[in-house]
Amino acid sequence: MSEQRIEVSRWIAAEPATVFDVLRDPHGHVAIDSSGMLMDASGEPVEAVGDRFTVHMDREALGDRPLGRYDVDVVITVYEPDVEIAWTVEGQVRPYIGHVYGYRLEPDEDGTRVTSYYDWSDIHAEWAARDIFPVINPHSLKATLGILARTVQKD
């Protein structure tokens, strides 16, 4: 793991397809968010690289910047059903930042090993110079995996 990438993993008691269904659904992103920033989403579940949906954000949840409520578009950059999904975010700021969030899924003993990652190694130079990354810390990624596990757990 580089200094510009965070990865956390955990085992989840659900098949990869069940986990992936949550991760490709805009409302699934909102349901499992541990940061408190994702308020709602608009759009259909994604099916391919280049697909997008809108997330309605509230940055006040982090308390780090006075951005209030705003919308961003989630743009899918990796889409391998039941294996990996990743996206970048396009919002009001220009140039776009270029950070990437994603999940890798591996079948593992009656469940799935899920790795959540956050990579800002290829962000636009203007954003890199601001030295504000990471915005989300490893504990938040790990907490989101816990919420994901609870969301998809087997009965």
Side-chain angles (χ1 to χ4, degrees), residues 91-104:
Q92 275 61 39
V93 298
R94 299 290 188 283
Y96 293 137
I97 299 169
H99 52 311
V100 175
Y101 296 89
Y103 293 90
R104 284 191 316 275

Side-chain angles (χ1 to χ4, degrees), residues 57-122:
M57 307 285 291
D58 183 355
R59 188 62 174 259
E60 296 305 310
L62 289 185
D64 64 339
R65 301 212 183 288
L67 299 175
R69 291 181 176 256
Y70 59 98
D71 289 347
V72 298
D73 284 340
V74 169
V75 182
I76 303 302
T77 59
V78 175
Y79 190 91
E80 277 187 76
D82 308 338
V83 175
E84 186 172 7
I85 188 167
W87 62 92
T88 192
V89 176
E90 295 179 357
Q92 275 61 39
V93 298
R94 299 290 188 283
Y96 293 137
I97 299 169
H99 52 311
V100 175
Y101 296 89
Y103 293 90
R104 284 191 316 275
L105 312 176
E106 301 172 60
D108 185 25
E109 297 184 32
D110 295 325
T112 305
R113 169 73 42 197
V114 180
T115 301
S116 175
Y117 58 89
Y118 174 37
D119 190 318
W120 61 99
S121 60
D122 289 328

Side-chain angles (χ1 to χ4, degrees), residues 28-50:
H29 281 249
V30 175
I32 66 170
D33 168 51
S34 71
S35 75
M37 287 192 299
L38 282 63
M39 298 285 104
D40 199 2
S42 304
E44 297 300 317
V46 296
E47 298 180 346
V49 169

